[in-house]
Amino acid sequence: MRRLVLVLLCLAAACRGRDATGASGGTLIVSAGADAETLFPPLAMGSQGRAVIELLYDKLADIGPALNTLGDAGFVPRLAQRWEWSPDSLTITFHLDPRASWHDGRAVTARDVQYAFRVWTDSAVGAAQRSSLAAVDSIATPDSLTARVHYRVRTPEQFYALVYTLIPLPAHRLEALPDTALHDAPEMRAPVGSGPFRFVSWTPRARLELAANDAYYRGRPRLDGVVFSVAAQGATVAAKLFSGEADFLEQLSPPDFAQLAAHADVRAQPYAGFDYGFMQFNTRDPRNGARPHPLFGDLALRRALTMAVDRATLVRSAFDTLARTAIGPFSRTQWTADTTLSGIAFDSRGAAELLDSLGWRIGKDGIFRERHGRQLAFSILVPASSRPRQAAAVLLQAQFKSAGARVSLEQVDFNAFLDKAQRGSFDALMGGMRTTPSPRGVRDVWGSPAPGRGAQNSGRWSNATFDVHVDSALAATSTDAVRAQFRVAYQAAIDDAPAIWLYEPRMFAGVHRRLNVGTLRPDAWWSGVVNWSIDPSQRLPRDRRAASTP
């Protein structure tokens, strides 16, 4: 397989520079292993929800190809035609594009920006990225096309944090509703956005359809529509691509590569990634969150189990050359990544000695450890839609058995996985995180559960050193200071072992030959869909499905 992967890398490199050219028309079918968890922008956490929402809604500005997050260099206009800074950098004034409109025909106004800020920062709403807007004091609206953002403090990423997070919402349709009712409002089941595609229909966990916005102020998309076809099982996700039922798969898994040679209609297209995978410990009791987890509330046990895992062997076995061993709660592609940090090394003898010292000794069966009559046993929650996570979980199960721990695997569909994770109803889980170009998201994913942080911290891990240094990093005014503070925070997360940092996948999308795509952006493959096209000579009857107008 290694030779196959190297050949594919060479072939894929030739495709990397292919521009999205071709006539307009055709419907893109995306084979997805998970459904959007919500279409309400403030609550979207997963990449699937983000993909749909960011095709439906436009932001004030978008990050540029260089993925710079400092200042505003490289950012490209979207709803805002232009912007200017005050001399003290505490105010940014955005001038909206007068051509921009909502899908119902109403103009996008500064009031929509102001309203969205109110919703995102309302603690009762529970926005996933609320903390990213903590530096913003208020948004004023001098006129209908001017939104003036006032900041409490200056930070290197203040522009990025605002425009990457805040999505203007249609105030004329939503502001009459209580903020707490927005998530379940009928309006959110058929959202009206401002972006290049408009909502058509949604059958949860099966199919979500969008159609081109003919009145899009930046020009109609080349595609007539986009359909997300959801499959709960990982093998089924790839099968749709290979059978011709789908045109695009965001990530090929190692088993998928073995099938490429037999399917000339599909190519592997590489792109940089911001992903990392891990096994997360639940530090709180699933039955009573006020109590520590009976096993993983113990730092020493978490470290012992981490020492028992040969991560390098696991990554080679599960991914071949398609991943590398992870370091900590970040991706190497983030600008604050630090490859010099000290990890918890694989040491089977040291793990055994530490477990013995904790009272976990091999029982009468000669295989599994016990303490005070209780066996060292736990379950790992695994999403059935992710073949890489399934493969890694099976390997972990075997390695933990060698260390004396009895582990069972609980496989569920992705939406059930998210539900259990959010409720803390698990012992451990196979997690995957798509980070952003900025490191600031680490506060929501690994910060102590509290207002303004830890919204996505499923394991409910808490570490004061981590929190303090992340806060200091995000408040720092120089890049060197940011890096220094994050180094301390990252090391605290590695030492305290809230998770076993497993892998960073090398990203390859599966692309049908009828589909023309450009360069895939590492943090958001969907960002260029507006310019994708389908070869007219390879159009199918299904290409007309999303072309109808409301």
Side-chain angles (χ1 to χ4, degrees):
M1 179 176 176
R2 192 179 306 272
R3 182 176 299 172
L4 172 63
V5 171
L6 291 175
V7 171
L8 288 168
L9 278 168
C10 296
L11 291 174
C15 300
R16 219 179 315 189
R18 181 181 298 184
D19 293 327
T21 58
S24 296
T27 298
L28 167 68
I29 307 292
V30 178
S31 186
D35 199 2
E37 74 275 24
T38 179
L39 297 184
F40 182 42
L43 297 187
M45 294 187 292
S47 61
Q48 193 61 42
R50 279 188 59 212
V52 176
I53 285 169
E54 291 179 16
L55 292 175
L56 287 169
Y57 295 87
D58 265 3
K59 300 177 179 180
L60 290 170
D62 204 2
I63 196 167
L67 300 180
N68 168 63
T69 66
L70 306 177
D72 65 357
F75 281 82
V76 293
R78 288 294 181 261
L79 291 175
Q81 276 188 324
R82 58 186 175 87
W83 52 85
E84 64 253 0
W85 296 67
S86 64
D88 62 3
S89 297
L90 288 174
T91 300
I92 305 176
T93 301
F94 291 89
H95 300 277
L96 304 186
D97 192 323
R99 302 171 301 166
S101 65
W102 297 102
H103 296 160
D104 62 4
R106 292 282 292 270
V108 174
T109 70
R111 178 168 143 240
D112 300 317
V113 181
Q114 186 183 58
Y115 169 70
F117 175 69
R118 188 195 89 189
V119 172
W120 244 273
T121 55
D122 185 343
S123 60
V125 173
Q129 304 295 331
R130 180 184 170 216
S131 64
S132 293
L133 300 175
V136 178
D137 178 72
S138 61
I139 296 181
T141 57
D143 59 58
S144 64
L145 292 177
T146 305
R148 186 160 292 148
V149 181
H150 298 287
Y151 288 85
R152 295 186 176 92
V153 293
R154 296 184 297 271
T155 66
E157 290 190 336
Q158 68 189 81
F159 186 88
Y160 163 87
L162 174 77
V163 302
Y164 200 88
T165 303
L166 188 69
I167 297 175
L169 299 172
H172 68 284
R173 300 183 69 97
L174 302 177
E175 66 181 351
L177 300 171
D179 290 353
T180 53
L182 289 171
H183 177 243
D184 296 319
E187 184 76 32
M188 288 298 103
R189 299 294 303 176
V192 171
S194 58
F197 293 89
R198 58 176 177 75
F199 179 83
V200 174
S201 64
W202 185 17
T203 304
R205 304 192 184 191
R207 178 186 175 87
L208 195 153
E209 184 172 354
L210 310 177
N213 176 11
D214 293 332
Y216 186 47
Y217 65 104
R218 299 182 59 241
R220 184 192 189 278
R222 289 177 174 171
L223 295 167
D224 288 331
V226 179
V227 172
F228 293 87
S229 179
V230 182
Q233 300 297 321
T236 307
V237 177
K240 288 185 177 183
L241 177 66
F242 290 125
S243 69
E245 294 179 53
D247 304 304
F248 183 84
L249 174 60
E250 80 171 278
Q251 184 178 0
L252 293 170
S253 67
D256 300 333
F257 275 83
Q259 300 187 55
L260 282 174
H263 294 85
D265 287 343
V266 177
R267 70 180 187 272
Q269 178 152 336
Y271 63 108
F274 283 92
D275 295 37
Y276 65 94
F278 50 89
M279 191 204 82
Q280 184 173 22
F281 296 107
N282 192 348
T283 63
R284 310 305 299 177
D285 190 332
R287 297 175 181 82
N288 183 349
R291 298 194 302 246
H293 191 282
L295 295 177
F296 304 137
D298 183 354
L299 166 60
L301 179 58
R302 299 198 304 269
R303 288 182 61 90
L305 291 174
T306 302
M307 293 168 63
V309 174
D310 183 350
R311 296 181 299 141
T313 297
L314 182 148
V315 170
R316 282 195 303 271
S317 299
F319 295 90
D320 195 86
T321 58
L322 298 177
R324 50 187 171 177
T325 305
I327 301 170
F330 57 85
S331 163
R332 285 175 175 84
T333 49
Q334 290 180 294
W335 65 273
T336 54
D338 191 333
T339 60
T340 67
L341 296 168
S342 300
I344 300 174
F346 169 55
D347 182 355
S348 57
R349 177 177 295 180
E353 291 174 353
L354 181 52
L355 288 168
D356 284 342
S357 72
L358 295 173
W360 292 104
R361 300 182 179 276
I362 298 296
K364 294 179 181 179
D365 61 7
I367 301 175
F368 296 112
R369 294 177 178 272
E370 299 176 353
R371 185 176 73 174
H372 307 316
R374 173 178 180 158
Q375 195 173 72
L376 180 54
F378 58 93
S379 65
I380 302 178
L381 185 66
V382 188
S385 60
S386 174
R387 296 171 82 181
R389 293 195 225 179
Q390 290 178 53
V394 170
L395 293 166
L396 278 173
Q397 184 182 40
Q399 292 196 21
F400 284 139
K401 182 177 180 180
S402 296
R406 181 192 291 274
V407 174
S408 60
L409 304 182
E410 182 186 0
Q411 293 196 34
V412 297
D413 71 66
F414 192 71
N415 290 85
F417 174 85
L418 287 178
D419 178 65
K420 282 178 168 286
Q422 291 167 3
R423 290 188 291 108
S425 182
F426 64 94
D427 292 323
L429 62 74
M430 296 302 296
M433 184 57 56
R434 171 159 294 167
T435 62
T436 66
S438 165
R440 66 178 48 251
V442 76
R443 180 160 60 183
D444 287 319
V445 180
W446 299 104
S448 300
R453 71 177 72 248
Q456 300 177 59
N457 183 352
S458 301
R460 295 170 287 182
W461 171 65
S462 181
N463 182 287
T465 300
F466 178 85
D467 291 338
V468 166
H469 286 279
V470 168
D471 287 346
S472 296
L474 297 180
T477 57
S478 74
T479 56
D480 287 344
V482 172
R483 285 192 174 97
Q485 293 293 338
F486 267 117
R487 176 178 171 80
V488 178
Y490 291 153
Q491 191 64 65
I494 294 170
D495 293 342
D496 214 37
I500 301 176
W501 317 108
L502 295 175
Y503 58 86
E504 291 183 40
R506 302 183 192 278
M507 303 297 288
F508 287 83
V511 183
H512 194 279
R513 72 174 182 179
R514 80 190 199 107
L515 179 65
N516 296 307
V517 305
T519 301
L520 302 178
R521 206 174 86 186
D523 64 314
W525 61 260
W526 55 87
S527 65
V529 166
V530 68
N531 292 318
W532 292 10
S533 65
I534 291 175
D535 187 336
S537 68
Q538 298 189 59
R539 300 279 168 80
L540 302 171
R542 63 174 165 82
D543 285 315
R544 295 191 296 271
R545 288 180 181 170
S548 61
T549 55

